[in-house]
Amino acid sequence: MKDIKEMYEGKPVFVVANSDELEEAVQAYPEELEEPYVVRVPGGEDRYVEEEAFAFDQTIGVLLIGEDVEEIGEGAFRTCGRLTHVEMGNSVISIGKAAFNECYNLQSICLSQSLKEIGVGAFENCGKLDSITIPDSVEIIMNAAFRSCKSLKEFTFPRSLIGVGSWLFEGCEALESIRAAEGNSTFDSRNDCNALIVTRENVLLFGCRNTVIPDSVTAIGISAFEDFSGLA
């Protein structure tokens, strides 16, 4: 085992690429440790976190994504049920499909300031995630990226966004505020309407319980209010 060179809030940080390496590192550690653990994931030569590298791992509490990582693979951390906090290095440009799906205790995440794409269902079923800041670098958010994030209260689409999928907020029953950042040339939230509108086509893509539909809207997207309770 490599010597532990980093501590996080009094806990050793294990630098490992997958669950098997984590198990070996914990067994080799000279002291008995209480779960959950703190893990830092390096990118390796490919600058990539492999698909399902830690899928279904129930021993990780805090996840630190290395500054050398550019891409997080499909399902890399799915169903990490004790994961509560993620800090992502600023080299990450892509989060893969279902990368954090069913991390149902995830409460906070710091995204990369270089992030370009959030994959299909990337944060689906993260039921305790009540807020997330999308950096002004993200261009694409894929289908169902935040579906069933039942605690999510507000969401701001960044100025950089040029494309977004469907079913994004299906089942996000606590969502009260949606807006597009000023300066976005593709989308807007005109008249503080609490919705995302395609500017050129006047189509309302996503709304929430506090949405007021502007008179200028000519169509409403198929998943705009999908599975919302408490709508007036």
Side-chain angles (χ1 to χ4, degrees), residues 10-12 14 25-37:
K11 285 190 169 185
F14 292 103
V26 170
Q27 290 176 351
Y29 194 71
E31 301 174 18
E32 186 173 348
L33 296 171
E34 290 186 5
E35 298 179 2
Y37 309 125

Side-chain angles (χ1 to χ4, degrees), residues 186-198:
T186 305
F187 304 101
D188 68 80
S189 299
R190 64 193 68 166
N191 305 327
D192 295 321
C193 62
N194 268 310
L196 185 74
I197 297 171
V198 184

Side-chain angles (χ1 to χ4, degrees), residues 72-107:
I72 298 173
E74 180 176 337
F77 304 101
R78 70 179 305 164
T79 321
C80 287
R82 298 174 74 180
L83 181 64
T84 60
H85 178 66
V86 176
E87 295 181 14
M88 194 173 294
N90 282 326
S91 295
V92 175
I93 59 175
S94 175
I95 299 174
K97 178 181 179 181
F100 294 93
N101 190 339
E102 294 186 341
C103 291
Y104 42 81
N105 278 309
L106 181 62
Q107 298 175 29

